[in-house]
Amino acid sequence: MDNFLREIRQKAEGCPELMKVFTDCCADTWNTAVKEMEDGTAHVITGDIPAMWLRDSAAQMRPFLFFAKEDGEMRERIAGVVRRQFKYICLDEYANAFNESPNGACWEKDDPEQSPWVWERKFEVDSLCYPVQLAYLLWRNTGCVSQFDQNFFRGVEKIFRVFRTEQFHEERSAYRFRRKSALFRDTLSRDGKGALVKPGTGLIWSGFRPSDDACTYGYLIPSNMFAVVVMGYLEEMARELFHEKRLEKEAWLLREQVREAIEKEGKTYTEEFGMVYAYEVDGYGMYNLMDDANVPSLLAMEYLGYPADRQAAENTRRLILGEGNPYYYKGVKASGIGSAHTPSGYIWHIAMAVQGLTSKSQGEKLAILKRMAATTGGKGVMHEGFLCDDDKQYTREWFSWANAMYMELFLDYLGYRLETSACGADRLA
C-alpha cells in the first residue's frame, strides 16, 4: 500500500488538498470497516451501521483493487470479502445485509421473520450482482483465484435460480416482505408481494432499489443493466477460467434475454429529450422517469459497463442531470442527484462521483472532486447526502461507500482504471 500511495502522491502534487481527503477516506475504510474473521473471510461494515451489505461491501473494495495488484496481503483480504459475500448468499439469497455472527441483530423484525444471520431481507437485484462483479474484477486485475471456493459456485447457482424465478415474479415467486409501522418506502404493497408487474417480459423483478427503498414499479432498469454486465463476467470466467460450457451458455442466454428486454421494455419516448431509458417500468406501459443517487443508477450505466444505445443514453443523461429528474438539486454548495431516501434538496456524494467517473472531461472530473472535498461539513470525509445550500447539514456521520467512490474518482482522474474486458471497458493503468 505504501508504494502505491507514494506513486499517487507524486502524480497528485498539484492538488494536495484532494490527496489529503483521499488518504483519509482510504484509512477510514481499510483500517476501520474491514475485519478479518477466523474462517478466512472478511466482514465489512457499511460505516455507522454494524451490518455488511452485499452491495456496499463490494463497492467499498473497488478502489483497493489498484493496491492489490502488487500487494498480496491486500489481495487475499479482498478475496476474503468475496468469500464472505458468497457465504451469506448461500445462507439467504434474498437478503441484502448480514450480521457478523448469528446474533439476531436487525434494522427491524420483519415479516416473514429473518434468520439471525440477516440484518435485513430486502430483495434487490443489485445485491446479487455486486459480489460477482468484485470476484471478477479481483481475478481480472490481479490474477487472484482464491475467492472461487465451493460457496462461490453454490451461490452462482442460487443467483441464476433467483433471477429466473423473479422474471416471473407474479407466477413463481414465494418472496414476500412486510415491515410493520414503516414508511411506505420500507415495505412492499399487496401483502408483501410488491406492485403488479407483467410476467415474462425477460426483465428481473426487484423489490427494492439500491437505496433500500421499495420500487414504484418492479422492473428496475439500472439493476437489470447491471445483471446483463455480470452475466457477461460469468460467461467470460466460465470460458477462460472454469472451462464450464454449461455455465457459459446459461450466462449468455440470461444476458441476452435481459438485454433485449431492457431495449424493448425499458425505453420510452419523451417530447423534450427524445428516446430515454426509464428508471423503472411495470411491463404494462408505465414508466418512472427519474434517477436515484445509489448505484446502479441510470447515470452509472457506462460506469458499470452496460452496452447502451448511445443516443438513448445521451438523452437519458441530459434528463437526469437536470430538472427533468425530480431528485436533481441545485444549490449554493453544489448541484447533483439525491434520493427519495434522504430529505428534499440533499445531494449524494456517490452520485457526484459517478457523474465524474462517466464524464469525458478531465476538467469536469477535477471540478467535481473539488466540490466533493469542499462539501464534507468540515469532517474531511464523505457523507450520504448533504443539503445543497449547507453541507454542514448531512446524513450519516460515517458512510464508507461514499468514501470509496471519492477514492475511485480521484484515481480515475489520475489515470487509473480497472480492466473489465468482458464489456470492452477500460484497462488498468
Side-chain angles (χ1 to χ4, degrees):
M1 180 182 283
D2 291 340
N3 290 337
F4 188 58
L5 282 172
R6 280 193 291 271
E7 180 181 315
I8 295 169
R9 284 193 179 94
Q10 289 177 352
K11 291 189 175 185
E13 283 182 341
C15 44
E17 72 287 355
L18 301 182
M19 183 68 204
K20 174 65 165 59
V21 176
F22 176 86
T23 54
D24 287 348
C25 288
C26 180
D28 168 83
T29 296
W30 195 254
N31 297 335
T32 58
V34 186
K35 179 180 179 180
E36 293 189 76
M37 309 300 291
E38 291 183 358
D39 63 358
T41 67
H43 186 83
V44 185
I45 61 172
T46 187
D48 50 19
I49 301 175
M52 178 169 170
W53 264 255
L54 295 176
R55 168 186 55 253
D56 296 35
S57 58
Q60 286 165 258
M61 292 298 100
R62 273 183 66 116
F64 294 100
L65 291 168
F66 296 99
F67 297 84
K69 191 177 184 217
E70 304 297 336
D71 188 324
E73 183 178 341
M74 184 170 283
R75 191 160 57 240
E76 185 53 33
R77 187 182 289 188
I78 297 172
V81 173
V82 176
R83 290 194 294 270
R84 192 157 192 90
Q85 289 172 329
F86 278 91
K87 173 183 177 178
Y88 286 148
I89 290 171
C90 289
L91 287 170
D92 189 342
E93 62 269 39
Y94 277 93
N96 60 321
F98 295 83
N99 296 313
E100 181 181 317
S101 64
N103 55 30
C106 59
W107 184 264
E108 193 167 325
K109 289 291 184 184
D110 298 314
D111 180 25
E113 186 172 346
Q114 60 265 49
S115 156
W117 279 102
V118 173
W119 172 268
E120 193 170 57
R121 197 173 189 260
K122 290 180 173 179
F123 174 62
E124 301 157 354
V125 166
D126 69 281
S127 292
L128 296 180
C129 294
Y130 267 105
V132 176
Q133 181 201 55
L134 183 60
Y136 168 84
L137 291 175
L138 181 60
W139 164 64
R140 175 54 65 185
N141 289 279
T142 74
C144 181
V145 295
S146 66
Q147 66 270 36
F148 300 118
D149 61 1
Q150 185 179 10
N151 279 337
F152 175 84
F153 293 100
R154 288 179 57 213
V156 166
E157 291 299 322
K158 285 177 174 287
I159 290 169
F160 275 113
R161 186 160 60 248
V162 169
F163 283 177
R164 287 298 188 191
T165 297
E166 297 306 332
Q167 285 181 307
F168 295 87
H169 177 72
E170 290 296 318
E171 301 170 347
R172 301 178 184 174
S173 179
Y175 173 79
R176 301 292 183 272
F177 184 91
R178 309 171 192 88
R179 178 166 289 176
K180 298 177 182 178
S181 304
L183 297 171
F184 71 93
R185 66 172 182 259
D186 256 350
T187 191
L188 294 183
S189 61
R190 293 197 303 150
D191 200 28
K193 193 171 185 176
L196 180 69
V197 292
K198 182 179 180 179
T201 63
L203 295 169
I204 304 166
W205 177 86
S206 189
F208 294 85
R209 300 169 178 173
S211 61
D212 301 331
D213 292 344
C215 291
T216 300
Y217 304 122
Y219 292 136
L220 181 58
I221 297 303
S223 289
N224 274 265
M225 289 174 168
F226 198 9
V228 169
V229 174
V230 299
M231 286 302 113
Y233 292 161
L234 282 172
E235 184 185 349
E236 180 182 345
M237 290 188 292
R239 182 176 59 252
E240 297 187 12
L241 183 62
F242 309 139
H243 308 294
E244 289 280 351
K245 291 287 187 182
R246 183 192 61 82
L247 176 59
E248 180 184 357
K249 182 178 180 181
E250 190 170 7
W252 178 83
L253 286 171
L254 186 57
R255 173 173 64 85
E256 284 302 294
Q257 189 174 49
V258 177
R259 184 189 62 78
E260 289 174 6
I262 290 170
E263 297 305 311
K264 178 183 177 184
E265 306 284 350
K267 293 190 292 189
T268 188
Y269 183 80
T270 66
E271 289 188 21
E272 184 175 358
F273 300 100
M275 188 66 71
V276 298
Y277 288 100
Y279 186 70
E280 296 166 341
V281 304
D282 66 355
Y284 288 110
M286 297 299 290
Y287 300 88
N288 189 3
L289 300 184
M290 56 162 279
D291 202 19
D292 189 272
N294 293 267
V295 181
S297 61
L298 292 175
L299 185 63
M301 67 176 88
E302 182 180 356
Y303 164 73
L304 294 172
Y306 179 72
D309 175 281
R310 181 188 297 179
Q311 190 59 60
E314 291 176 357
N315 295 344
T316 304
R317 189 177 181 88
R318 287 192 295 116
L319 184 157
I320 61 181
L321 289 177
E323 294 179 357
N325 177 10
Y327 299 106
Y328 182 82
Y329 304 112
K330 286 184 177 181
V332 174
K333 289 290 185 176
S335 61
I337 297 174
S339 174
H341 196 68
T342 45
S344 178
Y346 277 59
I347 295 167
W348 283 46
H349 283 128
I350 287 174
M352 294 174 72
V354 172
Q355 184 178 345
L357 286 162
T358 54
S359 172
K360 301 297 188 294
S361 165
Q362 282 291 93
E364 184 178 9
K365 291 176 189 291
L366 179 59
I368 290 174
L369 281 167
K370 288 180 176 179
R371 283 199 296 273
M372 292 177 73
T375 52
T376 68
K379 300 296 184 179
V381 291
M382 302 299 112
H383 300 295
E384 182 185 54
F386 65 91
L387 185 60
C388 60
D389 289 320
D390 180 8
D391 62 296
K392 286 186 171 56
Q393 297 187 50
Y394 57 81
T395 59
R396 299 196 64 174
E397 186 75 22
W398 178 24
F399 192 33
S400 186
W401 182 12
N403 289 333
M405 294 302 297
Y406 174 89
M407 290 177 63
E408 195 167 352
L409 176 57
F410 185 74
L411 291 169
D412 178 272
Y413 173 70
L414 296 179
Y416 296 95
R417 296 181 180 88
L418 292 170
E419 179 184 343
T420 55
S421 60
C423 299
D426 296 328
R427 297 292 188 269
L428 183 65

